[in-house]
Amino acid sequence: MASDASQAKLIDGTTLAASIREDVAQRIKSKQTASPRFQPQLAIVQVGERPDSTTYVRMKAKAAEQVGVKFRHVAVPVESSAEQIVKIVEDLNADDNVNGILVQLPLGDHITSAGERLVTEAVSPRKDVDGFHAYNIGHLSSRASDPLFAPCTPAAVMRLLKSTNTPISGANAVVLGRSDIVGSPVASLLRNADATVTQCHSRTKNIPDILKNADIVVAAIGKAEFVQGAWLKPGAVVIDVGINYVPDATKKSGQRLVGDVQFSAALNVASYITPVPGGVGPMTVAMLMENTYLAATRQWDESKNLKIKPLALNILDKVPSDIEISEAQIPKPIADVAHEIGIQANELENYGKYKAKVDLGILDRLAHRKDGKYIVVSGITPTPLGEGKSTTTIGLAQALGAELGRPSFACVRQPSQGPTFGIKGGAAGGGYSQVIPMDEFNLHLTGDIHAVTAANNLLAAALDARIYHEATQSDKALYSRLVPSKKGKREFAPLMFKRLKKLGIDKTDPNSLTPEEITRFARLDVDVETITWNRVLDTNDRYLRKITIGQNPTEGGLERVTGFDIAVASECMAILALTTGLQDMTERLGAMVVATSKQGEPVTADDIGVSGALAVLLKDAIKPNLMQTLQGTPVFVHAGPFANIAHGNSSIIADRVALKLAGTEEGDSSDRVGYVLTEGGFGADMGMEKFCNIKCRVSGLKPDATIIVATTRALKMHGGGPDVTPGKPLHDTYTKEDLVTLKEGCKNLKKHIENSRKFGVKVIVAINQFASDTEAELALVRDEALSAGADGAVVSNHWAKGGVGARDLAEAVIAICEGESDFKFLYDVKLPISEKIEIIGKEIYGADGIELSDLARQQIETYTRQGYNNLPICMAKTQYSFSHDPKLKNVPTGFTLPIRAVRLSAGAGFLYPILGEMQTMPGLGTRPGFWEVGLDKDTGRVVGLF
């Protein structure tokens, strides 16, 4: 360094800090112009109320306000343990709104240095704006890498040096001090800037001699005025980091602040020097603001650039069994899938390695986002073998997510164990388009169906118990047991106020009810002939369809005939699929009608007092389950309502979570828009119609398109081909080219397209290709679909090729779904019940009209009188025909729909007319699927599952 006889220039840290703060403020404003929700936030954890710590926190809070950084002060009791502080830090790590975390040191005399390190190491490196984490310190010390953040004071030292334009490369630099906070990090930064660094400390010998050769001196040794002016090389640049108080009688406080350098003496030797105060101090706080901005920018950009890391598929020409394909793929840990799609760690509840539940709080966190594109996957009227809706849903999700790199989510129902161990099999998709692990998917998953079973059967038990107790007790005894005296005081249970309000009794004191009010309150007076609530079991068991209960002598002869349904036919399952949150679910469960009283009033779960307990049993089941496809794209598996007597769609909650994760906000590029594929059960006349008229009415969501899955096999069947029967070989009609039969069957496809367009959505036909399909057959289906008004018709071979086989379909979906949805409902729910039924019958099924049985008329009159007439309609009919008769294929005409009965699902929120005989408990065939299922004796893996 050149010598300068004149006095050293002061390095004005206060002015430089102000310019840095102003620059940070401008960068924040600029970022917010493009992305209004961008808001850096700094959280400082302070233990106790040490005056010096409080002063430092106040300085940082003031600086944060100046630059536009949101500040959060987390005050922690002085007696808190290191472990308790770590828990606070971990919560801040998981908070997406917090970008920077600083733990104000010291933490207190009761916390050891090891405990202090435990706390500072708990801060996530990506939020470690103080730069104290071992990750950042380690990278700072490495020539091969850069830290996410440099510690604020060392960074301030480097910025002050650079402000002097002093060459650092090749300079001799001496650092006095070896603390982890200043000395050692400064030495690393100087070495990284190509200075030759000597680091001294309290035990270094001959410090004056070492300083004589120093072009740059950084004093951070913590000794007041330790460095004498005579020790310095003329023209040296001096950065004084010291903060020391010495006695000074002239000061009001009796002391004054000095650095580690004799300032007055050094002033005549150095070329540049920092004053104390006014040098490093204000710069440290400014660098903290800059680090916080950098952290916020980095985290913001990361959230915008989340990408699924696809899993590679090993495609074999001869496609193995579904379970062989599933077990050959190694899934990603579900936590990795969650991270890739933007789910935070505190929003994920792992159930093993490959499945997890997602906390509903994510909907609040992402409420600001505009939903992604919403597509319902349906199909033509199927054969008993199914036409591949699930497989298409999964294959398309793989194509969008793994092949085209677009945010993509499949939302499917959880399969029942009934078909899994019966004939149909599971619902994980098939071939190279599956949800994995498929054995976990098709079995217990996370226990949601078991929870539904428990809730349903608790209500059944409570109903029968109430009937028994009312039959065996007087009004007074019954009331005394319902509202018992506890420690001399009687109180109504919270749920009882609902019943009191329903009865018009405006009293809160149990002792104030009149004898007449006691009778009305205590007696539900159930007409057992009107009970509609069955017990459920998730197994095909034909011998439970009709049973007699109450045969034991202890039940006093109160026998009655009842039955079991399969668990997915429970109204509790329909509610799980249609609910929008915990409170909504509780209210829906309470509103379920299980019978009618002898006075003609509906008897509900609230009347029985069990709705709170039902909600408790379902409190975890309400959270959607996250899994993945064979190619590692996300799948939400949630709820599994029966597709005949219920609406046959997965949950609103899963769709909403997926739509937000696939969504965008102001400033996002157009290619950030994601796609949610939600599947509706059976043909478009069933699942899609119910999706639109029931599910969307509850959710308020608007679909952008419907995908209708078609196969030449099903179309040929509708064109007059022989019956398709599970377990029997296909007729040659289905394995050889037959354009005449196929063209006739395309009328069924055309009717589904016509129906879909009535809801104002785009229509895309996905032609699910089979190995025996010819080019001429596929071209015919495509041409017929387009001529019928489909917006697109694409051949897809995802079963044999995975996402690659659905790439053309994915590109068509992206192109066709541009713009806003013109979705509309088919009918107004305020219309009379019979008129709504007739609209569906005529518009969707092509019927000439409806014919109500005497029972159906009576039920409609009852529901209208009870105030249930404004509910949507959920038609319960065969899935194998547009009509009520499964034998009527293709597009039948000239028929009238016979409405045998109309039942009420008050909690789920719909009425379901029954057409023909609908079984709500399937039976096992002669040769069920369970014969093949077992465990490999060596590995314990599931074998024989499809």
Side-chain angles (χ1 to χ4, degrees), residues 575-576 579-590 614-616 618-619 621-622:
I575 286 173
L576 185 65
T579 192
T580 55
L582 275 170
Q583 185 58 40
D584 175 71
M585 182 177 74
T586 303
E587 292 172 1
R588 287 176 177 273
L589 291 169
L614 303 185
V616 167
L618 295 173
K619 71 178 179 65
I622 195 175

Coordinates of all heavy atoms in Angstrom, one line a residue, residues 575-576 579-590 614-616 618-619 621-622:
I575 N -70.4 -38.2 2.6 CA -70.1 -37.0 3.3 C -68.6 -36.7 3.3 O -68.2 -35.5 3.0 CB -70.6 -37.0 4.7 CG1 -72.2 -36.9 4.7 CG2 -70.0 -35.9 5.6 CD1 -72.8 -37.1 6.1
L576 N -67.8 -37.7 3.5 CA -66.3 -37.5 3.4 C -65.9 -37.0 2.1 O -65.0 -36.1 2.0 CB -65.6 -38.8 3.7 CG -64.1 -38.8 3.8 CD1 -63.7 -38.0 5.0 CD2 -63.5 -40.2 3.9
T579 N -67.6 -33.1 1.8 CA -67.4 -32.1 2.8 C -66.3 -31.1 2.4 O -65.5 -31.4 1.5 CB -67.0 -32.7 4.2 OG1 -67.1 -31.7 5.2 CG2 -65.6 -33.3 4.1
T580 N -66.4 -29.9 3.0 CA -65.4 -28.9 2.7 C -64.5 -28.5 3.8 O -63.7 -27.7 3.7 CB -66.1 -27.6 2.2 OG1 -67.1 -27.2 3.2 CG2 -66.9 -27.8 0.9
G581 N -64.8 -29.2 5.0 CA -63.9 -28.9 6.2 C -64.5 -29.6 7.4 O -65.6 -30.2 7.4
L582 N -63.7 -29.5 8.5 CA -64.1 -30.2 9.7 C -65.5 -29.8 10.2 O -66.3 -30.6 10.6 CB -63.1 -30.0 10.8 CG -61.9 -31.0 10.8 CD1 -60.8 -30.5 11.7 CD2 -62.3 -32.4 11.1
Q583 N -65.7 -28.5 10.3 CA -67.0 -28.0 10.8 C -68.2 -28.4 9.9 O -69.2 -28.8 10.3 CB -67.0 -26.5 11.0 CG -68.2 -25.9 11.6 CD -68.5 -26.5 13.0 OE1 -67.6 -26.7 13.8 NE2 -69.8 -26.7 13.3
D584 N -67.9 -28.3 8.6 CA -68.9 -28.7 7.6 C -69.2 -30.2 7.8 O -70.4 -30.6 7.7 CB -68.5 -28.4 6.2 CG -69.4 -28.9 5.1 OD1 -70.5 -28.3 5.0 OD2 -69.1 -29.8 4.4
M585 N -68.2 -31.0 7.9 CA -68.4 -32.4 8.1 C -69.2 -32.7 9.3 O -70.1 -33.6 9.3 CB -67.0 -33.1 8.1 CG -67.1 -34.7 8.2 SD -65.5 -35.5 8.2 CE -65.0 -35.1 9.9
T586 N -68.9 -32.1 10.4 CA -69.6 -32.3 11.7 C -71.1 -32.0 11.5 O -72.0 -32.8 11.9 CB -69.0 -31.5 12.8 OG1 -67.6 -31.8 12.9 CG2 -69.7 -31.7 14.1
E587 N -71.4 -30.9 10.8 CA -72.8 -30.5 10.6 C -73.5 -31.5 9.7 O -74.6 -31.9 9.9 CB -72.8 -29.1 10.1 CG -72.4 -28.0 11.1 CD -72.3 -26.7 10.5 OE1 -72.6 -26.5 9.2 OE2 -71.9 -25.7 11.2
R588 N -72.8 -32.0 8.7 CA -73.4 -32.9 7.7 C -73.6 -34.3 8.4 O -74.7 -34.9 8.2 CB -72.5 -33.1 6.5 CG -72.4 -32.0 5.5 CD -71.4 -32.2 4.4 NE -71.4 -31.2 3.5 CZ -72.2 -31.1 2.4 NH1 -73.1 -32.1 2.2 NH2 -72.2 -30.1 1.5
L589 N -72.7 -34.7 9.2 CA -72.9 -35.9 10.0 C -74.1 -35.8 10.9 O -74.9 -36.8 11.0 CB -71.6 -36.3 10.8 CG -70.4 -36.7 10.0 CD1 -69.1 -36.7 10.8 CD2 -70.6 -38.1 9.3
G590 N -74.2 -34.7 11.6 CA -75.4 -34.5 12.5 C -76.7 -34.4 11.7 O -77.7 -34.8 12.3
L614 N -68.9 -39.1 15.8 CA -68.7 -39.5 14.4 C -67.6 -38.6 13.8 O -66.7 -39.1 13.1 CB -69.9 -39.4 13.6 CG -71.2 -40.1 14.0 CD1 -72.3 -40.0 13.0 CD2 -70.8 -41.6 14.3
A615 N -67.6 -37.3 14.1 CA -66.6 -36.4 13.5 C -65.2 -36.7 14.1 O -64.2 -36.7 13.4 CB -67.0 -35.0 13.9
V616 N -65.2 -37.1 15.4 CA -63.9 -37.5 16.0 C -63.3 -38.7 15.3 O -62.1 -38.8 15.0 CB -64.1 -37.8 17.5 CG1 -62.8 -38.5 18.1 CG2 -64.3 -36.5 18.2
L618 N -63.7 -39.5 12.3 CA -63.3 -39.2 10.9 C -62.4 -38.0 10.8 O -62.1 -37.5 9.7 CB -64.6 -38.9 10.1 CG -65.6 -40.1 9.9 CD1 -66.9 -39.6 9.2 CD2 -64.9 -41.1 9.1
K619 N -61.9 -37.5 11.9 CA -61.0 -36.3 11.9 C -59.7 -36.5 11.1 O -59.2 -35.5 10.6 CB -60.7 -35.8 13.3 CG -59.8 -36.7 14.1 CD -59.5 -36.2 15.5 CE -58.5 -37.0 16.2 NZ -57.2 -37.1 15.6
A621 N -59.5 -39.0 8.7 CA -59.9 -39.5 7.4 C -60.2 -38.3 6.5 O -60.1 -38.5 5.3 CB -61.1 -40.4 7.5
I622 N -60.5 -37.2 7.0 CA -60.9 -36.0 6.2 C -59.7 -35.5 5.5 O -59.8 -34.8 4.5 CB -61.5 -34.9 7.1 CG1 -62.2 -33.8 6.2 CG2 -60.5 -34.2 8.0 CD1 -63.0 -32.8 7.0

